[in-house]
Amino acid sequence: GVGTTTPCRDCDTRYNRIMKALWFFSFASPSSIQRLSVGLTSRRFSTSMSASKAMVVDPFCFRQFAEHEASKSYGGTVFTTSVSEFEEIVNARFDEANLKDGYAPFCKHIFLANDFTDAKVNVLPLTKENEHLVRTEYQARNEKELPVLQRYMPIDLVGGPDKLPVAKYLDLILYSRDQIKKENESMGKPAGDETAPWGIVSIKTQDVDYELPMNPITVMRNSLGKDEGGSGVPLDREAYMESVNYWKDNVVVS
């Protein structure tokens, strides 16, 4: 009613916090105050660094880094560089003006000189001398995808990694944050709290600084719905035939 006084709980809370802060800075040791200051600064720095990244390695791409268990069963390029070190280097070289269009609006490529890893090329020309080394296998990139037939050449049959040259370039294949969220949701994966605008979903090692045609079976898989591991983008016949023309004369080494 009129004239009654209602306690201000927020005021009491703010008062208590202020009194605690005054007590701390009045009686705490200099070293305690220094530790608090360093901790706050570190948290602010960490948050700032995370927010400033244009690209992060998506969990789908963890299989390409030796520090992750999934790399042990992955047949493609595996980097000995840590994910954090890789992200630091590629973000320092990121320039939005250098983004190249991919197969869909949400996909981009960025090509970087490979002067910071020892990754080898993993594609060889198919010749009469090596065609007998080709193998086929049904493969899925994760447990949610449909297995598809892949053609490859076992690396041990070509003489091991030492027989392959170090790649001159890295093709970082990027998906937009919105697309990654959509695909994770459709496959029942947690959305996560990552905010970097681009996720690195694959890294190709090569000797040219432009996009090589996607493997035909990957083009087909991408045309599947998101529930089956695709991106839901309709198959482009012209792009598919370009892919066939390249891959009929080349083969992945893994």
Side-chain angles (χ1 to χ4, degrees):
V2 177
T4 60
T5 302
T6 303
C8 178
R9 295 179 181 176
D10 288 342
C11 295
D12 289 344
T13 300
R14 286 195 294 270
Y15 174 79
N16 289 335
R17 288 175 179 170
I18 291 171
M19 293 305 295
K20 287 180 179 179
L22 288 173
W23 182 93
F24 178 81
F25 285 106
S26 297
F27 298 102
S29 65
S31 60
S32 297
I33 295 174
Q34 184 179 20
R35 284 196 298 272
L36 174 64
S37 175
V38 170
L40 291 173
T41 301
S42 297
R43 281 194 290 274
R44 283 197 299 269
F45 178 75
S46 176
T47 302
S48 174
M49 286 295 289
S50 177
S52 68
K53 286 182 179 178
M55 309 176 288
V56 294
V57 176
D58 187 75
F60 180 78
C61 193
F62 284 171
R63 60 187 183 154
Q64 289 195 248
F65 290 85
E67 65 182 307
H68 287 275
E69 187 69 21
S71 67
K72 294 180 180 179
S73 57
Y74 181 59
T77 302
V78 174
F79 295 89
T80 55
T81 310
S82 69
V83 169
S84 60
E85 183 181 358
F86 189 89
E87 288 181 345
E88 182 180 353
I89 294 171
V90 300
N91 275 283
R93 301 183 182 190
F94 178 82
D95 183 346
E96 190 171 6
N98 292 332
L99 290 176
K100 306 299 181 184
D101 290 341
Y103 73 98
F106 57 76
C107 177
K108 301 291 182 184
H109 295 255
I110 191 164
F111 300 92
L112 300 176
N114 181 35
D115 55 7
F116 62 99
T117 84
D118 57 359
K120 309 293 185 70
V121 296
N122 67 336
V123 175
L124 290 178
L126 190 60
T127 66
K128 291 292 184 182
E129 289 72 32
N130 64 19
E131 64 181 6
H132 68 285
L133 303 176
V134 173
R135 303 290 185 269
T136 58
E137 181 181 337
Y138 282 97
Q139 297 176 351
R141 296 175 298 185
N142 58 54
E143 70 281 359
K144 298 285 187 178
E145 288 188 344
L146 288 176
V148 295
L149 188 64
Q150 300 277 16
R151 184 179 74 163
Y152 69 100
M153 196 176 290
I155 194 167
D156 57 319
L157 296 185
V158 301
D162 291 342
K163 295 294 184 180
L164 301 174
V166 173
K168 296 177 182 177
Y169 296 95
L170 300 181
D171 174 8
L172 276 54
I173 303 174
L174 313 177
Y175 272 19
S176 69
R177 181 58 46 202
D178 183 59
Q179 178 67 16
I180 290 173
K181 288 180 178 178
K182 287 178 181 177
E183 294 192 14
N184 284 344
E185 180 181 357
S186 68
M187 300 190 78
K189 296 180 180 179
D193 56 1
E194 182 55 63
T195 59
W198 297 104
I200 302 170
V201 296
S202 184
I203 308 165
K204 294 169 65 177
T205 53
Q206 53 192 58
D207 281 340
V208 293
D209 60 349
Y210 54 84
E211 181 185 3
L212 295 175
M214 195 181 296
N215 195 300
I217 196 63
T218 305
V219 176
M220 283 195 169
R221 177 157 45 193
N222 281 342
S223 68
L224 297 175
K226 297 183 182 71
D227 292 344
E228 306 298 345
S231 54
V233 175
L235 188 147
D236 182 314
R237 182 179 178 85
E238 184 178 349
Y240 181 82
M241 292 310 299
E242 180 184 355
S243 172
V244 170
N245 287 334
Y246 177 80
W247 285 102
K248 67 181 177 63
D249 299 321
N250 294 277
V251 63
V252 169
V253 179
S254 66

